[in-house]
Each structure stands twice: as structure tokens, then as C-alpha cells.
């Protein structure tokens, strides 16, 4: 059985989905979560091809870029869709989540407090808009047991983990009011398929 190590900061960020995959799949893996002091050394150590994290090691071989890692693990653990249409859904969700994260991080790290508040407000509105589109998609796809029907896939991990992570960054607790149907899906997944991940690895 391959041994995996995922290197990332001690926060959710770009590692929340790969960590959830590895936990769900019950892989033989190490969660190397580090602080910014350690990052200064890691960045120049040769571990990170682009001097960025996350980095996934598989039996010593290194993989970079969060989306590539997510899709690599999705294929490894049979979490991709059954055809190109379902894989489009997965890729589209992954990139949409990245759009939201980009706006949130731009706001969070803005040194101007007044500008930061303004950007956070705009990021929250974008988050709610995107959630509405995710819910509409889920309904249009049949509102099944999982996002893409009867099979648990990366789509479920992406939507569930990103929603929890982004709500934490935005300090938002109103998902149920904004997207009640999608809320039921992500709540069910967080309490079942991803229960262990949220108990052990999700940073609250």
C-alpha cells in the first residue's frame, strides 16, 4: 500500500479537500501541518517544486498544485465521475470554489481595515451567489443521495469541505437559510462519509 504525506499549513486552505479524500479513503497517510516559522525553511528546502504548498508525497515522489493533487487522489480512490459530463461537474465545482477562495483571501490579508471590511462583505455576497448556483445544479441533476446521483464522488467532498471552510473564514452561519436543499446534502455528508475527517482533521 502506498504511503502518502500531505504537506500544508496548519489550517484548511488549499489542503482541506486533499485531506478529506485521504481520510475518507483510509489511506496510509501523514498530515504534515506546519506553522509559518517552519514554512520559511520548507519553502527553500527543495520539497516544493514551485515554492508553494500543498505538496503531496507518494512513496517519496512529490506532486504539486492543489487541483492537480485533488484530481490525482480522486482518480486513485475512484472518486471521479462515471463519464466526461460528471467530470466536468467536478472540475467546474473545483474551479468555482477557487474563485470564491481568491476573493476571501484577498480580503483577509488586506492591511487596510476599512478596505478589508468592504472586500469581506463583497466576498460573502459572492459566496452566497455561488452557493445558490451549486444548489440549483444539485436540484437540476436530480437532487439525489449525492451531488451526482447515487455515487459518492469528489463533487460531494468539494462542496461539503469548501462550504465549511469558507463559512469559517467569512464567519457566516446562515447556509441553511440561503440554500436549504444543498445544506441538507452537506450536513448529511459531514455527519456520515466525512465524519472522521471533520472530527480529526478539519481546523475549526
Amino acid at each position: 500500500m502506498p504511503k502518502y504525506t500531505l504537506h500544508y499549513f496548519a489550517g484548511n486552505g488549499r489542503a482541506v479537500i486533499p485531506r478529506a479524500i485521504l481520510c475518507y479513503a483510509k489511506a496510509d497517510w501523514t498530515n504534515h501541518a506546519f506553522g509559518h516559522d517552519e514554512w520559511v525553511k520548507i519553502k527553500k528546502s527543495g520539497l516544493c517544486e514551485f515554492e508553494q504548498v500543498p505538496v503531496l508525497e507518494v512513496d517519496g515522489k512529490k506532486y504539486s498544485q492543489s487541483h492537480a493533487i485533488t484530481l490525482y487522489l480522486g482518480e486513485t480512490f475512484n472518486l471521479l465521475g462515471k463519464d466526461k459530463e460528471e467530470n466536468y461537474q467536478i472540475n467546474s465545482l473545483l474551479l468555482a470554489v477557487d474563485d470564491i477562495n481568491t476573493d476571501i483571501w484577498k480580503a483577509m490579508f488586506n492591511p487596510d481595515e476599512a478596505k478589508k471590511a468592504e472586500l469581506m462583505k463583497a466576498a460573502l455576497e459572492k459566496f452566497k451567489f455561488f452557493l445558490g448556483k451549486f444548489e440549483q445544479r444539485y436540484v437540476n441533476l436530480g437532487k439525489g443521495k449525492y451531488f451526482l446521483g447515487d455515487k459518492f464522488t469528489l463533487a460531494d467532498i468539494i462542496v461539503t469541505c469548501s462550504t465549511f471552510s469558507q463559512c469559517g473564514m467569512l464567519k457566516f452561519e446562515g447556509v441553511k437559510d440561503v440554500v436549504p436543499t444543498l445544506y441538507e446534502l452537506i450536513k448529511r455528508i459531514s455527519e456520515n462519509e466525512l465524519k472522521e475527517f471533520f472530527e480529526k482533521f478539519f481546523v475549526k
Side-chain angles (χ1 to χ4, degrees):
M1 178 182 292
K3 293 185 181 298
Y4 300 84
T5 301
L6 189 68
H7 305 271
Y8 193 71
F9 297 104
N12 295 311
R14 296 185 186 280
V16 67
I17 295 169
R19 283 174 181 154
I21 297 170
L22 289 162
C23 181
Y24 168 78
K26 301 192 181 307
D28 182 358
W29 74 294
T30 299
N31 179 35
H32 178 206
F34 52 82
H36 284 274
D37 289 343
E38 189 179 353
W39 168 236
V40 174
K41 298 176 182 177
I42 291 172
K43 186 176 182 180
K44 300 294 184 180
S45 69
L47 173 70
C48 315
E49 181 181 11
F50 301 110
E51 297 189 358
Q52 296 174 329
V53 283
V55 168
L56 175 70
E57 284 193 82
V58 184
D59 290 338
K61 185 176 181 179
K62 302 173 184 67
Y63 297 83
S64 59
Q65 296 295 329
S66 57
H67 295 343
I69 290 168
T70 292
L71 295 172
Y72 173 87
L73 290 174
E75 183 171 1
T76 298
F77 297 113
N78 192 31
L79 290 167
L80 296 184
K82 68 177 183 293
D83 54 32
K84 65 182 180 181
E85 293 299 323
E86 289 195 351
N87 286 331
Y88 158 77
Q89 295 290 339
I90 288 169
N91 279 286
S92 177
L93 289 171
L94 195 59
L95 294 171
V97 164
D98 200 43
D99 285 344
I100 304 168
N101 281 336
T102 297
D103 282 18
I104 295 173
W105 291 329
K106 183 194 291 187
M108 288 178 66
F109 296 110
N110 193 295
D112 183 325
E113 287 302 318
K115 186 66 173 176
K116 178 177 181 177
E118 179 185 329
L119 290 172
M120 285 296 279
K121 183 178 179 181
L124 176 58
E125 290 308 308
K126 183 170 185 175
F127 170 67
K128 291 191 286 187
F129 171 78
F130 273 53
L131 274 187
K133 295 301 181 181
F134 292 170
E135 180 176 72
Q136 184 178 333
R137 235 191 234 202
Y138 173 52
V139 171
N140 290 344
L141 288 168
K143 201 173 66 174
K145 181 178 180 181
Y146 298 114
F147 198 92
L148 296 179
D150 294 330
K151 180 178 181 288
F152 182 77
T153 68
L154 262 182
D156 300 290
I157 296 177
I158 292 165
V159 172
T160 302
C161 293
S162 64
T163 300
F164 273 89
S165 178
Q166 289 164 350
C167 279
M169 291 187 286
L170 291 164
K171 297 180 172 55
F172 180 67
E173 299 179 353
V175 172
K176 186 176 182 180
D177 297 324
V178 176
V179 285
T181 303
L182 186 68
Y183 173 81
E184 291 302 320
L185 174 70
I186 64 176
K187 182 175 183 291
R188 186 170 68 249
I189 290 169
S190 70
E191 293 174 352
N192 291 279
E193 287 84 359
L194 298 182
K195 182 181 180 190
E196 182 181 359
F197 166 71
F198 279 100
E199 289 177 347
K200 294 182 178 179
F201 300 105
F202 186 80
V203 181
K204 296 180 176 64

